[in-house]
Amino acid sequence: MVALTPAVPSTVTVPLQSGGGLLYYAVVLVILALVAGIAGFRGIAGLSFRVAKFLVVIFLVLALVTFLL
């Protein structure tokens, strides 16, 4: 009788990072800024665009630190 053993060990790998939400939220906020700008809500458009720029800068800094380490 031959015992069937799995070819792959039963370990589960977990990624170190769970997502990359910074760029996703930055794109969502830019789209919100464009829609709000077209609709005439200049305050909301400016604020959401500033937050989107801030998220992109944070992403770039974290990416640079990650690449250097």
Side-chain angles (χ1 to χ4, degrees):
M1 192 174 226
V2 177
L4 298 175
T5 59
V8 180
S10 63
T11 59
V12 176
T13 59
V14 177
L16 294 177
Q17 297 176 349
S18 63
L22 285 177
L23 285 181
Y24 171 76
Y25 289 124
V27 169
V28 168
L29 286 171
V30 167
I31 292 171
L32 176 67
L34 290 173
V35 171
I38 290 171
F41 299 111
R42 295 171 64 189
I44 296 172
L47 180 65
S48 58
F49 191 71
R50 271 188 264 154
V51 172
K53 286 194 308 187
F54 182 70
L55 289 177
V56 169
V57 168
I58 290 175
F59 169 78
L60 291 175
V61 167
L62 290 175
L64 182 66
V65 168
T66 302
F67 290 140
L68 292 177
L69 295 179

